[in-house]
Structure formats: C-alpha cells, structure tokens
Amino acid sequence: MIKSRRGMSGSSSGMSRSSVCTSAMSVSFSAGTYQVLPSSAVVLQKAAAATCVPRPRGITCGCAPRTRGAAVEVTIAPDSLRRLALVVRLSAVLGAVFALLLMIPVPAAARPAVDASGSFGSPSYLPSQTFRFVLTVRTTRALENADVSFVILANSAQAKPLFEKYLVNSMAPGASRFSFSGNPRRLGMGDGIYPVVAQVTAGEYSETVRSRLVVIDPSRHGPLLLALVWNVNNTPAISPKGVYLSDATAAMVRGGASPGWLSGHFAEFAKHGKVKASFNLTPQSLEEVLGVAGGYKLREQRRVTPVRPDSRESKDAREFLTRTMQLVRDERIEIVPSPYAYPPIAEIASRGWDSDMRLQMQHGQDVVERSLRTAASPGMFAPGLTLSTGAIPALRRAGVEYTVLTYPGRADRFGSARLSTETAGNLVAFFDDEVSANLLTSPGAPRTAVSDFVGYLARVRLARGKRPTVATVVMQSSNRRRPTTPLLRELYATLASTPWVRTVTLGEAASIVEPSSDLTLPARRVDARMKSYYGAVGRARRSLAVYSSMTLNDNPVRTRLTRNLLISESAVWRQEPGGLKKGLAFADDVTRTVTSELGKISAPARETITLPGQSGKVALNISNRTRHPLIVTLGLSGRLVEFPEGTNVRFELRPGDNYVAVPIRVKTARTAPVTVKVLAGGSTLLESTIYARTTYFNRMAFLVGIILALVGLLVVVYRKAGSARRR
C-alpha cells in the first residue's frame, strides 16, 4: 500500500541502522509493504532485506543493505519526475484517442439525403377556384429516373383516387419544385376535406408528404364566426412604491425598426383590414403603459433614475396608445378587459369580498377609459376562464354582459350559454376552444400550424351544417409567452383571405349568436392551498378599510394602497416561481403603511380641565402628523358627565395640532373623569382620559376651608380662655 505523508524531510539523517550511499544507486526490494513520503523524497519501509544496486545519475539513496525492517529513503530529482509524469500523460492521451478511433463506425457507401415538403397556396378553396400544390424535393446527390406522384383521395379508406398525376424526372443536387393544380368542381369535388398524398421515389429511397385539400362554399353553409381573443397579461413590473423594477413595460411597446412584441403585434394586425379580434389588455398592465407615457421612475440596480416624458420610451408608449385608440375607433379590435389586476374572480367572490370585486371591476374600467379615451366594453375577460355563481351579481352590477369561460362539457362548445341567478340578470358565456389554440401554438413552421388550424375550423363548419357557429379561441400573450411575428403574419393573412371565416369581436358574437342553453356554475371556488396567502391579504383589507374610512377621495396614500391591495389579489403570482412572495410584498406594504399613518395621530394621555360652571366646553388637542387631512370620530363617555351634542362627534383633523371644543355638563361638584376615544372604521385608534371640574367646586372648597379655619381658631381661643380662668 502506498500513502502520502506530509512534513517529512528528504534527508536520510536520523534514520536508525542506515548508511548513506554517495554514488548513484537504485534500490530493489522483495515483496513487502512500502510507504511513500513527500514528492522529493520517497521512503520505502519493508520487512525484508534491501539491496543497493548502482543506477544512473539523478537518484541518490540512503539504505541499510540486507537489513530487515530498515527504512530506506530514496530521493528522486524533480526533473526526472517531470519527465516521467509527461511520458505517462502522453501515453494516456494517445490511448484515449486510439479508443475513440475504434468507436467510430466505418461509413458505408454514401446515401443521398432526400427531403420533401409541400403545401397548397391557400388553406382552403371555393369549388370554382383552381387549387395549386407545390412539392419541394431536396437531395444531396443526383437522382436518376425519380418517380413523383400527387394523389387526391375522396377519403382515407377509398382506394380509387379522385385526382392523380405522375411524373418521372431526374433531379440534380439541391432543390427541385413540382407544381400540381386542378379545379375542384371539374374534378367532381363538393364541400369537404380531401386527403392528399405526394410521394417521391428513387430506387430504394422514398419520401411521402401528406396534406389536405379544403373545399368549402360559404353560400351553402354560411360563414363560421371566429372570435379570436388575445389575453395580454403580464406580471406587474412595479414595486409597491410605484417604482418600475425593469424596463419590461417600455420594451413591449417599443417602436421603431425593432418594435416591442406588443407594438409589433398591433402593427402586424393593422396590415390586414378585414380581420377583427378582441384583446384583454389587463388594466394593470395598461396602467403601467400609461405611466411610461407620462414619465416614470426606473430602478437600475440600487439607484432610482427618473425617465422624463420627452424620452424615447415615453414617446413610444404614447404612440402605442394612439394606435390602439385608432383601432378601437375603427371597430377593428374590442378591448375586453379583465378586472383591474387579473384576480381569481371565483375565489374572491367565494370569500365574500364583494367590495374588492366592485373595486377590481370599477378600477379596471376606469383605467381603460382613461388610457384609451373610450367607453369600457360590456364584456369581461374572466381570469383563468373560471367563474362562480356568487360572482355573477357583482359582474352584472358592473355592467358586464358577456365573458369567456373554459368549456364545461355540458354546453354547446361552438355557441353560447346563459349564466343566470335569481338575484341578477343574464350573463352570456362563450367557451374557449382549446383544440384550436393548441394547433396554433404547436411547434413547427407557422404555415403548417395555420393550415392545421384552418383545416380544423373547416371540419367544424362542415359538421355543424347551417347552425350558427362561433369558434372562440383564447390565445395567451405575455412577456413569458408571446406569439412570433411569422405566426401572426401567416395567421392574419390567411384569415383575411378565407371567405368562409368571418372574424368578429366578442361583442359582435354576442349580438349575433343567441344563447342555446342555460348553465349553472359552481357556488364556491376556494383554493385551500392559498389559505395563508389570503390570510395576509385579509389583514391588509381590514387595515385599508379603516384607513379609507378616515381619508378624503383625493388622498394619494389611499390611492396607492388601494392599488397595492388589488395587485396582491392577482392570479399572476401563482404562475411564476417565487411569485407569491412578490404578491405578499404588496399586501404587507398596505398593512405597514396604515399602521405607520395611524401612529402619527396622538392626544394628551391625561389632562385636567376647569369649567366656569357646571356646563361648558372642553377643548381637546389632537395632533395629526401625517401630510393629509383625516376624518375621525370622537367617542365620549363619563358616568358623572352629560354630553348635550351626543357622545360621538365627527370632525376633520388637519395636519398639525387640532383643538376640538366639546360641550359637556358636569353632574357633580367633584372632579369628573371623561374617556375620549378616537374612532375610525369601527376601530379605536387611541384612547385618553381627561378630568373636568367646575369653578363652583373650587368656591365651595374655598368656603369650606375658611369655615374649617375659623372653627379651628375658635377652638384655640376657647382653650386659651379656659386656661386663663383656671389661673
């Protein structure tokens, strides 16, 4: 066994029963156990005899010849060690290279790489319209006598084709294109979806391309209504103090040659004048864009930098809002907003937070109207595409008439249903067709995805006959998940040129398609896993309720805290790692700020006040060290005191010291304690005790004192007179 020992010297001095060999020697041992010491000195310990044998220069040794149990020290020159290590390493590298060479298979005869792809010039055709299919074949070698075939079948089970064409051609290396065309009506094709098979065969090599030919006459079936709904929903990019934590908002609406993903989307959409769509521009995200347009504060590392309104970022944001307003005026798009911060409506309603529902709806509609200068839509995008029965009354009071939900499995997927309660009117629901959305977001070329999407819509249209049909497709669009520009370009160009598809906004669909059934939603939707999170949000709600009851409408602190509470209720915090912690920061800011603001109200802890009579006014000094006026109520109580104007007095606290005169009547000649409470929102902010006494009590005390003094004086005089008589 060989071990390394630190701290040993390379010298052989001090070793028992050893002699020093001054000539160059090597040491050979019989079998035994050896011990290796530091790199410059090697000590070999064995139980057998050692023999010193002359060796080349560079190695010295100290040994005890033919002595059992002796320790032998061998010192090897560093240059020799380096050469030895280099030889060993080179041998290892050469061995590894040789092993890798053995693993590489010997290539067989080169095979020509053949790849084929094909597509129609349009996703669908009218019966009288000539179709054209282009097959592209790419090969790395020349192909002789290659067979190219194009076949259209009536259905996948029928052997006899409706149309077939065969070519024999030689192909040079590179790309070769073959075009096939025909007229569906002349080929006896009616409305339908026909399988297409194109094949390239060259000897033992074969490539097959499968596609479909869609033929639809809209005059026979009527158009399919397509309600495309884009859910533009981002994680908030601001801090609880209103500072932008990143430039994500400015980046998504960037203009110029390299537009942001959202401004680029709208620019691509604007090119196709026949296409309509609905957008949920989440009001909280829209408010961030409005903030960028007016100048904002951006945190860069640990420094907060002001971005001026004349900056490029602010100008781009204003231009984006202007273009969006124009699309709304042209009735190309409909803004169907979610509640302000994209909250889980069903859960908020199930917790009984009706005031929050009202705030979310009202604040969201206000942001849309303020940002786009247009009336809010009567539609509402339900976050998570879920609702509960308890949420419907609040939505109806907010003027909501229609929404989009996940398909529940018991209604017409391509129609609409009524959501009704006993206490609220009807609410119309359309249903998201997830199959369509999955086809558009599938990996692969945009043309293939759009072709599959249109083919699916064609099957829906043909299967439903003349029944009114609306396909509602919800597409996600955010900083984390956004559509590519090639997909948008292909999608909008295809929809604009497909005569049997009519794109509509959600509001247009609601006015065209009558609800075909009634739908009952679950009564409650509460996520038990969020109990702790919503516990913190509940505490923030109670704190804000107290603060809101004592502030005026233009209080900026109240406005900021209301926004933070609504943001803390957002569903987006569940969608990203660490999101709940970020959401709680907004709720905690509400609680901390309210506690701090209420702590700035103070009153004397103990004070004695003298009244001129049994009735009078008590002047109370209450200090407000905040920057804004506050409305509070004084609660007065006392067993020996009456309050002519009532026990609760409401008044406004201006910043600074405030003196409040409260009429009281003392029912006793003694000092009467009065308890004063500062109340707001049903909570006691602080409590103090004052003591009231009258001047009548003071006069009586003075007279009693004089009488007692006179009595005492008379007693003294009487005693002295008695003593004089006895003498």
Side-chain angles (χ1 to χ4, degrees), residues 124-132 152 162 181-191 194 213-216:
S124 66
Y125 294 88
L126 298 172
S128 59
Q129 188 178 4
T130 299
F131 65 80
R132 183 171 182 266
I152 301 177
L162 295 175
S181 60
N183 185 283
R185 180 168 294 168
R186 293 177 182 176
L187 295 174
M189 298 179 184
D191 290 352
Y194 301 91
L213 173 62
V214 178
V215 180
I216 291 184

Side-chain angles (χ1 to χ4, degrees), residues 298-312:
L298 176 65
R299 177 175 295 169
E300 297 177 321
Q301 296 180 351
R302 296 184 178 181
R303 184 179 61 182
V304 175
T305 304
V307 181
R308 296 172 55 84
D310 58 354
S311 65
R312 180 184 60 82

Side-chain angles (χ1 to χ4, degrees), residues 20-309:
V20 178
C21 299
T22 56
S23 60
M25 305 287 290
S26 72
V27 184
S28 62
F29 297 94
S30 59
T33 301
Y34 306 98
Q35 196 171 37
V36 180
L37 296 183
S39 58
S40 61
V42 181
V43 174
L44 304 176
Q45 180 75 39
K46 66 176 291 295
T51 303
C52 291
V53 181
R55 297 295 292 171
R57 295 180 59 185
I59 301 178
T60 61
C61 73
C63 62
R66 302 187 181 281
T67 303
R68 291 182 178 274
V72 179
E73 178 178 346
V74 179
T75 303
I76 303 177
D79 291 342
S80 301
L81 283 176
R82 293 192 189 97
R83 287 194 295 271
L84 180 61
L86 180 61
V87 171
V88 172
R89 290 173 182 170
L90 288 175
S91 300
V93 171
L94 291 175
V97 172
F98 182 70
L100 290 174
L101 291 175
L102 291 178
M103 295 173 62
I104 299 176
V106 178
R111 295 167 55 95
V114 179
D115 177 64
S117 62
S119 63
F120 284 95
S122 174
S124 66
Y125 294 88
L126 298 172
S128 59
Q129 188 178 4
T130 299
F131 65 80
R132 183 171 182 266
F133 183 88
V134 176
L135 177 67
T136 302
V137 181
R138 294 178 177 84
T139 178
T140 57
R141 291 181 55 191
L143 297 179
E144 299 294 336
N145 299 323
D147 295 329
V148 181
S149 63
F150 176 79
V151 179
I152 301 177
L153 303 173
N155 55 64
S156 57
Q158 183 172 333
K160 186 178 180 180
L162 295 175
F163 176 84
E164 55 185 343
K165 191 170 185 179
Y166 299 92
L167 299 174
V168 178
N169 196 52
S170 297
M171 301 181 195
S176 301
R177 290 179 174 81
F178 304 90
S179 178
F180 305 91
S181 60
N183 185 283
R185 180 168 294 168
R186 293 177 182 176
L187 295 174
M189 298 179 184
D191 290 352
I193 302 173
Y194 301 91
V196 173
V197 179
Q199 192 171 32
V200 179
T201 304
E204 59 179 314
Y205 312 114
S206 179
E207 282 290 320
T208 302
V209 176
R210 300 185 183 276
S211 185
R212 71 185 69 82
L213 173 62
V214 178
V215 180
I216 291 184
D217 184 357
S219 63
R220 296 181 56 189
H221 300 277
L224 177 141
L225 303 180
L226 175 62
L228 191 60
V229 183
W230 291 96
N231 179 25
V232 183
N233 174 40
N234 294 318
T235 302
I238 60 173
S239 72
K241 302 300 182 184
V243 177
Y244 286 72
L245 301 177
S246 70
D247 61 352
T249 303
M252 76 177 183
V253 296
R254 183 180 59 246
S258 300
W261 63 268
L262 186 56
S263 57
H265 186 161
F266 276 57
E268 194 63 44
F269 177 84
K271 296 177 183 178
H272 306 278
K274 295 182 180 180
V275 180
K276 296 183 178 182
S278 301
F279 286 82
N280 165 37
L281 290 178
T282 303
Q284 193 276 325
S285 296
L286 189 58
E287 190 175 48
E288 287 186 5
V289 175
L290 188 63
V292 172
Y296 60 105
K297 294 180 179 179
L298 176 65
R299 177 175 295 169
E300 297 177 321
Q301 296 180 351
R302 296 184 178 181
R303 184 179 61 182
V304 175
T305 304
V307 181
R308 296 172 55 84

Side-chain angles (χ1 to χ4, degrees), residues 695-716:
T695 54
Y696 170 78
F697 171 79
N698 294 338
R699 289 195 298 269
M700 290 296 297
F702 178 73
L703 291 175
V704 170
I706 292 177
I707 292 172
L708 291 176
L710 291 175
V711 171
L713 181 61
L714 290 174
V715 170
V716 172

Side-chain angles (χ1 to χ4, degrees), residues 440 442-452 484-488 490-491:
L440 284 176
S442 61
R447 171 165 289 190
T448 301
V450 173
S451 177
D452 292 342
T484 63
T485 299
L487 175 64
L488 295 174
E490 184 70 25
L491 174 63

Side-chain angles (χ1 to χ4, degrees), residues 477-677:
S477 182
S478 66
N479 283 328
R480 294 178 289 105
R481 184 181 178 185
R482 65 190 72 164
T484 63
T485 299
L487 175 64
L488 295 174
R489 184 180 299 119
E490 184 70 25
L491 174 63
Y492 290 140
T494 299
L495 294 179
S497 60
T498 304
W500 53 271
V501 174
R502 175 186 170 189
T503 56
V504 294
T505 64
L506 207 58
E508 289 177 331
S511 64
I512 296 173
V513 179
E514 290 292 331
S516 58
S517 61
D518 293 328
L519 182 63
T520 302
L521 297 176
R524 290 175 57 85
R525 287 181 181 271
V526 176
D527 189 348
R529 298 170 299 177
M530 300 292 290
K531 181 178 180 180
S532 175
Y533 183 89
Y534 280 108
V537 175
R539 290 190 292 273
R541 290 183 71 251
R542 292 188 291 272
S543 297
L544 182 59
V546 172
Y547 188 72
S548 298
S549 69
M550 56 190 300
T551 55
L552 303 178
N553 291 333
D554 59 350
N555 186 298
V557 177
R558 171 183 170 180
T559 301
R560 179 175 66 83
L561 296 183
T562 301
R563 181 202 65 197
N564 288 350
L565 176 66
L566 299 182
I567 292 177
S568 72
E569 296 174 349
S570 176
V572 300
W573 303 120
R574 311 182 193 188
Q575 301 173 4
E576 63 174 69
L580 294 181
K581 183 178 180 181
K582 297 178 182 178
L584 283 178
F586 287 87
D588 292 342
D589 179 74
V590 174
T591 305
R592 287 195 305 268
T593 302
V594 170
T595 301
S596 174
E597 291 292 292
L598 298 185
K600 298 175 182 178
I601 302 174
S602 61
R606 181 185 179 93
E607 188 176 9
T608 301
I609 299 175
T610 301
L611 300 176
Q614 284 186 305
S615 298
K617 289 186 177 181
V618 176
L620 304 176
N621 179 17
I622 301 179
S623 177
N624 174 16
R625 299 304 176 192
T626 70
R627 298 181 179 180
H628 312 285
L630 302 173
I631 307 297
V632 298
T633 299
L634 286 184
L636 306 172
S637 62
R639 187 172 56 86
L640 303 176
V641 181
E642 293 179 349
F643 304 97
E645 296 185 2
T647 57
N648 291 326
V649 180
R650 182 178 175 86
F651 67 98
E652 179 179 329
L653 288 178
R654 294 285 179 179
D657 292 331
N658 295 263
Y659 292 91
V660 183
V662 180
I664 66 171
R665 181 177 181 277
V666 180
K667 297 186 294 184
T668 179
R670 296 178 297 170
T671 300
V674 179
T675 301
V676 180
K677 296 181 179 180

